[in-house]
Amino acid sequence: MLLAIESSCDETSAAVLDKTIVLSNVISSQLFHTDHGGVIPELASRAHLQSISAVVREALVTANINETDLSAIAVTTEPGLIGSLLVGSNFAKGLALRLGLPIIPVHHIEGHLYSGCLEDSSVEFPFVALVVSGGHTSLFYVESYSEYQVLGSTRDDAAGEAFDKVAKLLGLGYPGGPLVDALAQKGNSSAYSFPRSMLHDGTYNFSFSGLKTSVRYFLQKNFHEGVPSEILPDICASVQQAITDVLVAKAIRAAIETNVKSVVIAGGVSANSRLRKDMNYRGQKHSIRIVAPRMSFCMDNAAMIGFLAEKKFQEQPEVYSRLDFRVQSASLRAKRT
Ligand code: KG4
Ligand code: ZN
């Protein structure tokens, strides 16, 4: 049995896995950040510290095991908010030391990358993965559990950041993505035209900061006294369509050009209803299978960390006895082969 801990941003999560079967996946979200319009790092680490023992205990109880049944511990060590990463890592380290267990450091984005395989064990390598969250937007060509290449990434804002910033401009809450998604369901996505940056540039890179600026100018010009509530759904639907059009086009083109049969979408933004619909529609047209993990495996969660840790541990069990690993706030290896 493996216990995994994830605390890289504003979710404290713990999961228990029996090999690759998830027995529990407890996620405690720090909802108070809503009041601040974004995640405050200092407050996030303090909240992790408060909740981590209870979250881990709940994961063990739900899985119906004792800590003595554990044979390894996995923890997210990069990238993320440094204080938040330190809370999870130190907790994991203390537990590993006390129980005399190996500890497996896991890269958060790599966790998202393989969450499609956690959802559906029939996904075959190689596949293309689109990881879209509040901090990352990248396309990967994934060959195995230890080999993948970054095909492209955002040059500025992440897609989730674009959703969050536009939501802020519209006076909606945080995180903005789910709120924009909900309002967009009632709106017309062709009501307004917002830029689809880098759509036809031939690369797999993205850019979303121009969209945010364009929405800001649009609002200043047309609604300087506030956006009437009846217009909000149309603006949300149009902005959402501008973001998802680029994500879908590049992910599908990547799959066609690399000749893979599946595209995995992962990270918080992969919960977006328009993204899922359009990906499925375009995927079907090109006989490409779209794998979208359930919400609890899409958002930040410990199950995906445990799943990858299990794969890493199976490959090289001898390398995980060290307790002097590092945590890092930012890192994404350009290429890992
Ligand atoms: O992966 P995640 O939980 O945390 C990290 O950023 O690592 O992703 C959070 C991001 C936020 O920007 C949030 O607004 C966005 O995912 N998000 C969505 C939706 N649900 C969450 N964006 C668009 N549509 C959604 N339904
Ligand atoms: Zn994430």
Side-chain angles (χ1 to χ4, degrees), residues 9-45:
C9 190
D10 56 346
E11 260 91 27
T12 319
S13 180
V16 173
L17 286 87
D18 183 3
K19 301 280 179 272
T20 52
I21 311 285
V22 179
L23 300 183
S24 62
N25 185 30
V26 178
I27 304 170
S28 164
S29 296
Q30 301 176 359
L31 301 174
F32 63 86
H33 291 295
T34 312
D35 305 338
H36 305 279
V39 178
I40 311 284
E42 166 92 20
L43 298 182
S45 31

Side-chain angles (χ1 to χ4, degrees), residues 110-124:
E110 291 180 7
H112 278 305
L113 204 54
Y114 297 102
S115 60
C117 310
L118 168 63
E119 178 64 57
D120 183 344
S121 56
S122 69
V123 178
E124 281 177 21

Side-chain angles (χ1 to χ4, degrees), residues 32-101:
F32 63 86
H33 291 295
T34 312
D35 305 338
H36 305 279
V39 178
I40 311 284
E42 166 92 20
L43 298 182
S45 31
R46 287 168 189 259
H48 284 303
L49 196 57
Q50 271 191 311
S51 60
I52 195 158
S53 315
V55 168
V56 167
R57 200 174 315 119
E58 195 183 329
L60 294 171
V61 169
T62 309
N64 202 18
I65 65 157
N66 295 312
E67 56 183 33
T68 47
D69 297 322
L70 294 171
S71 49
I73 302 209
V75 65
T76 305
T77 51
E78 59 180 308
L81 302 172
I82 201 76
S84 294
L85 288 167
L86 281 168
V87 174
S89 297
N90 276 326
F91 191 95
K93 201 169 172 171
L95 204 55
L97 204 55
R98 180 157 65 81
L99 299 170
L101 298 178

Side-chain angles (χ1 to χ4, degrees), residues 151-155 197-198 201 203-207 246 250:
L151 297 173
S153 292
T154 182
R155 291 283 157 251
S197 301
M198 301 177 85
D201 71 344
T203 74
Y204 295 121
N205 293 324
F206 302 91
S207 167
V246 188
K250 296 215 173 196

Side-chain angles (χ1 to χ4, degrees), residues 291-313:
V291 183
R294 74 196 71 168
M295 193 53 203
S296 57
F297 292 166
C298 263
M299 61 194 295
D300 287 353
N301 69 92
M304 68 179 188
I305 301 302
F307 176 78
L308 181 56
E310 189 65 47
K311 297 286 176 189
K312 282 156 97 79
F313 194 59

Side-chain angles (χ1 to χ4, degrees), residues 11 108 112 133-135 160 163-164 175-178 181 267-269 271-272 299-300:
E11 260 91 27
H108 178 82
H112 278 305
S133 71
F163 273 107
D164 294 340
D181 192 353
V269 180
N272 186 266
M299 61 194 295
D300 287 353

